């Protein structure tokens, strides 16, 4: 069933981010005339609107009932059920407010980047540990859920990667225009001037994709749905399969792969309108025993 979202007072819905279980939505509302925007929370039945706590900014969903907020100089884990907040204070020795930061879902590990190019990780009440030291790689930054990999791009468009907390960072690519990390942050689509490649931080391997105009990772990073030179294609098990000629469905606006990896949902359309499409994805091939 479809249900229209029609805000009042001249507001328009310009974005929506669902919780991991799909039961709640963070809606971005825009007032075009006053050029003001705000994010509010509701459930998937639109059964009520809940505003964010005062002087906070929505960053991401951490769980089905938890969100990550940015407050005045610190991150906040806010529970929508219990109503209790956990404030991640700035670590001792941290210089100035963080320009960006995040928290690994289900943990007390925060990841911060400062205005002077420092990147640090803090686990609970433990001391801050600096990573990517000396690189100033704060653009397109990422941290793997198991702390096995840290990555970021510096001002010279070099992609730096550090394998583990005790390792030294190294340059793995140059001329990088953008990086799309997967949800676990161990694999990434690296866009360069004339091509895109997939970097696998687990073994340091690369897979060429060609010219890519859009991509979406599966939740487990084992599949990548991407648009390349007129085709919708899928990277799975290190092989690329063409799924559909875009002349059949038109330009792709958004895409998502289901949690089970067996379906993909697209917003695409010909002639300016957008339709919802569902694609059955090729089955994964089980690894062969040696």
């Amino acid at each position: 069933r479809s249900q229209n979202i029609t805000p009042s007072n001249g507001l328009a819905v310009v974005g929506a981010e669902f919780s991991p279980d799909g039961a709640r939505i963070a809606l971005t509302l825009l007032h075009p005339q006053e050029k003001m925007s705000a994010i509010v929370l509701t459930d998937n039945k639109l059964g009520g609107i809940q505003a964010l706590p005062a002087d906070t900014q929505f960053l991401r969903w951490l769980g089905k009932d938890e969100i990550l907020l940015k407050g005045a100089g610190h991150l906040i884990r806010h529970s929508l059920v219990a109503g209790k907040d956990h404030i991640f204070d700035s670590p001792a020795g941290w210089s100035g407010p963080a320009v960006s930061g995040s928290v690994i879902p289900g943990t007390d590990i925060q990841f911060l980047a400062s205005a002077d190019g420092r990147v640090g990780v803090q686990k609970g009440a433990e001391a801050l540990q600096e990573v990517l030291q000396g690189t100033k790689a704060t653009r397109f930054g990422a941290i793997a859920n198991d702390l096995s990999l840290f990555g970021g791009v510096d001002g010279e468009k070099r992609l730096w990667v550090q394998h583990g907390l005790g390792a030294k960072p190294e340059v793995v690519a140059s001329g990088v225009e953008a990086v799309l990390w997967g949800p676990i942050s161990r694999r990434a689509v690296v866009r360069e001037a004339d091509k895109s490649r997939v970097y696998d931080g687990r073994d340091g391997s690369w897979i060429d994709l060609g010219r890519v105009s859009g991509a979406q990772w599966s939740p487990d990073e084992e599949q990548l749905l991407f648009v390349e030179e007129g085709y919708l294609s899928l990277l799975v098990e290190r092989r690329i399969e063409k799924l559909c000629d875009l002349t059949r469905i038109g330009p792709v606006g958004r895409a998502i792969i289901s949690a089970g990896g067996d379906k993909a949902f697209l917003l695409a359309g010909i002639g300016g309108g957008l339709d919802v499409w569902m694609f059955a994805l090729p089955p994964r091939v089980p690894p062969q025993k040696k």
Side-chain angles (χ1 to χ4, degrees):
R1 296 182 299 108
S2 63
Q3 186 169 351
N4 292 330
I5 301 175
T6 308
S8 59
N9 301 325
L11 296 173
V13 177
V14 295
E17 185 174 342
F18 283 81
S19 60
D21 63 350
R24 298 176 185 269
I25 320 171
L27 293 175
T28 303
L29 303 178
L30 173 68
H31 197 298
Q33 294 181 346
E34 298 183 7
K35 297 181 179 180
M36 296 178 59
S37 64
I39 293 180
V40 297
L41 306 174
T42 184
D43 57 33
N44 58 11
K45 297 179 181 179
L46 308 180
I49 297 295
Q50 179 180 352
L52 299 179
D55 301 321
T56 62
Q57 175 187 350
F58 176 86
L59 295 180
R60 62 177 294 188
W61 288 96
L62 292 176
K64 63 186 183 70
D65 297 320
E66 282 188 339
I67 57 176
L68 181 65
L69 302 172
K70 183 179 180 180
H74 53 258
L75 301 176
I76 305 169
R77 185 174 61 214
H78 178 66
S79 173
L80 302 178
V81 177
K84 296 181 180 179
D85 290 345
H86 176 83
I87 297 177
F88 293 85
D89 293 322
S90 295
W94 187 258
S95 56
V99 295
S100 64
S102 190
V103 171
I104 298 178
T107 74
D108 287 336
I109 302 174
Q110 64 172 328
F111 178 58
L112 301 171
S114 68
D116 59 0
R118 295 175 60 207
V119 180
V121 177
Q122 184 179 34
K123 297 192 290 184
E126 297 180 11
L128 175 79
Q129 186 160 353
E130 190 171 351
V131 296
L132 300 172
Q133 193 166 3
T135 67
K136 295 187 177 181
T138 57
R139 298 174 60 239
F140 306 109
I143 169 176
N145 289 0
D146 58 0
L147 304 183
S148 63
L149 185 143
F150 309 91
V153 178
D154 65 13
E156 299 180 23
K157 298 184 177 182
R158 297 176 297 182
L159 174 59
W160 290 84
V161 166
Q162 177 177 331
H163 296 278
L165 287 170
K168 292 184 177 181
E170 58 179 323
V171 175
V172 298
S174 301
V176 175
E177 299 293 336
V179 179
L180 175 64
W181 293 94
I184 308 174
S185 296
R186 289 184 295 192
R187 303 182 78 188
V189 179
V190 179
R191 180 167 63 85
E192 296 159 317
D194 58 349
K195 65 178 180 179
S196 293
R197 302 184 290 164
V198 168
Y199 173 72
D200 194 327
R202 297 169 297 185
D203 58 10
S205 62
W206 291 89
I207 301 173
D208 290 330
L209 299 181
R211 293 180 179 271
V212 172
S213 59
Q216 177 66 46
W217 285 103
S218 63
D220 61 2
E221 290 185 353
E222 295 299 330
Q223 297 163 292
L224 178 72
L225 197 67
F226 63 100
V227 176
E228 50 146 352
E229 299 181 315
Y231 282 92
L232 177 68
S233 299
L234 181 74
L235 171 66
V236 57
E237 307 291 348
R238 301 187 65 85
R239 70 182 188 275
I240 295 176
E241 298 196 17
K242 294 184 183 298
L243 300 181
C244 178
D245 190 319
L246 292 184
T247 58
R248 294 180 54 195
I249 62 175
V252 177
R254 294 288 299 272
I256 189 169
I257 298 176
S258 65
D262 58 339
K263 294 182 289 292
F265 297 89
L266 310 177
L267 276 177
I270 299 174
L274 290 176
D275 301 314
V276 179
W277 295 78
M278 183 181 75
F279 281 77
L281 299 180
R284 301 183 189 182
V285 178
Q288 297 181 353
K289 296 182 179 180
K290 297 183 178 179

